[in-house]
Amino acid sequence: MHKFKQLANNIQFLIESESWPAHKKLPSLREQAQSSGYSVMTVLNAYQELEAKGWIYTKQKSGYYVSEAISHVSKTSNKLALNTNIEINSLVFDHLKHLQKEHVIPLGSAFPSASLLCNTYFMKTLSRHAKIPNSALSTDSMPPGYLQLRQVIASRYSLNGISTNPEDLVITSGALDALNLALQALTKPGDFILLQQTIFYGAWQAAERLGLNVITIPEHYQYGFDLEAFENALKNYPIKACWLMLNVHNPIGFTVSNEIKSTIAALLQKYEVYLIEDDVYQELFYEKQKPLSVKYFDKGNYVLHCSSFSKILGAGIRGGWVNSGKFSNVIQHLQLMSTVSASNLMQHALADFMSSHHYEKHLRQLRLKLHQTKTAYYKLLQEILPIACEVYYYATGYFLWIKLPEGMDSSILYQCLLEKNIVIAPSILFQQDHLPSNYIRLNCSFELNDKVRRALQIMVGMIHDLVEGKVV
Ligand SMILES: Cc1ncc(COP(=O)(O)O)c(C=O)c1O
């Protein structure tokens, strides 16, 4: 794309999203050239292009101004939103701190109950490796990671129809490390990335930390993913990377269809845009068949697929990976400047455990248990929640996404419950766009014992109080 077109697209987006309102004066050619690093000629070409399209107009001897009508029409038709100054890190930090407190009921946690993850055979494997002289100290697991572990992960990809070379894999310190490294490899501060409107807070945190501008697309009310809005964004804006969750979406829970995933892959190739696919819950499906990833349909190598062991063996393991293709080298560079590598001992133990039949057995048992527990929560909540609430149930993972009565602010419910040592996850942790904030995410992996039932009853009582205006 020509430089002037890229600049014109950036400015167009600022106008469409109303970050630059109608009749705002644009920076002078020289100011714009200084702040963007483009030449004055490139800026002039960009302004002329925008003027020809009706996005801006000139006033004699005064400069360029934002036009009025076009910005409104476009905003309502393309459903996209721009988020420039993201501020979520402190909020997430406080949330995670609340979850660490003693005696809390962690219904707002993203981690599955440790009691479901603990696997005796894995623990034995770990302790056996710990006893091998020098095993924990050797450096054979430095980036890109322990070869045998990369080989077993690569063979699992291949069994799922994604032929993968172990050389393409980089073992990381959990999925968050993989996702962050991938994003860092693909972007520089000030770039545009694309996220789903409601998404795991780690994506917002990464964008805040790296100084990125975020364009969001809304969830499709029926299919989970709005292909029209997606193509609109790719076509019109200089997006450097997308970060999407299409399987077992956190926080909502949906999995989008194979048709949609296949179209996403084709669009990425058409517009030459990379996707960071966050697939950490890929193993937590209840149906017979594991859902496919976009990576499966990725003929042009535009997908960097990230996952980890956090949701199946425990987040404390800090073991994850990115299937990074040609970006392996860049990612290893970045890794060696930050987290260096995942634990050597853990990589050895994981390679051993994954090669045994105990791994699949563990996954089967985990899925079954999660299915039973989540269904039990769902049934109970259907019975006790006020009729004005709606529970979104998807046959995957361990989250329930709940709509509270219209107009209720889930952050207030969150604050009230904190005083009772109950932590839920309010929707502001997952969104930035001033959207309705009457949603919460509940973690349903914990045994539904008396303590948890009581906590849910307290939550329901609080919702009633908020509806009746008893809480101010
Ligand atoms: C959607 C999503 N992606 C990534 C992560 C990070 O996982 P890890 O613990 O492997 O870094 C989480 C953790 O909660 C998550 O929910």
Side-chain angles (χ1 to χ4, degrees), residues 354 402 468:
M354 279 186 89
I402 300 174
E468 288 160 20

Short mmCIF file of all heavy atoms in Angstrom, two decimals, residues 354 402 468:
data_model
loop_
_atom_site.label_atom_id
_atom_site.label_comp_id
_atom_site.label_asym_id
_atom_site.label_seq_id
_atom_site.Cartn_x
_atom_site.Cartn_y
_atom_site.Cartn_z
N MET A 354 3.00 -36.15 27.76
CA MET A 354 2.20 -36.08 26.53
C MET A 354 2.40 -37.30 25.65
O MET A 354 1.52 -37.66 24.86
CB MET A 354 2.60 -34.84 25.73
CG MET A 354 1.97 -33.57 26.22
SD MET A 354 2.38 -32.23 25.09
CE MET A 354 1.07 -32.32 23.89
N ILE A 402 -23.31 -14.35 31.84
CA ILE A 402 -24.67 -14.07 32.33
C ILE A 402 -25.03 -12.62 32.10
O ILE A 402 -24.26 -11.71 32.44
CB ILE A 402 -24.76 -14.40 33.84
CG1 ILE A 402 -24.45 -15.89 34.04
CG2 ILE A 402 -26.14 -14.05 34.39
CD1 ILE A 402 -24.36 -16.31 35.48
N GLU A 468 -34.21 -3.62 43.06
CA GLU A 468 -35.17 -2.87 43.87
C GLU A 468 -34.60 -1.56 44.42
O GLU A 468 -35.24 -0.87 45.20
CB GLU A 468 -35.64 -3.76 45.04
CG GLU A 468 -36.57 -4.87 44.55
CD GLU A 468 -36.65 -6.02 45.54
OE1 GLU A 468 -36.31 -5.80 46.73
OE2 GLU A 468 -37.02 -7.13 45.13
#
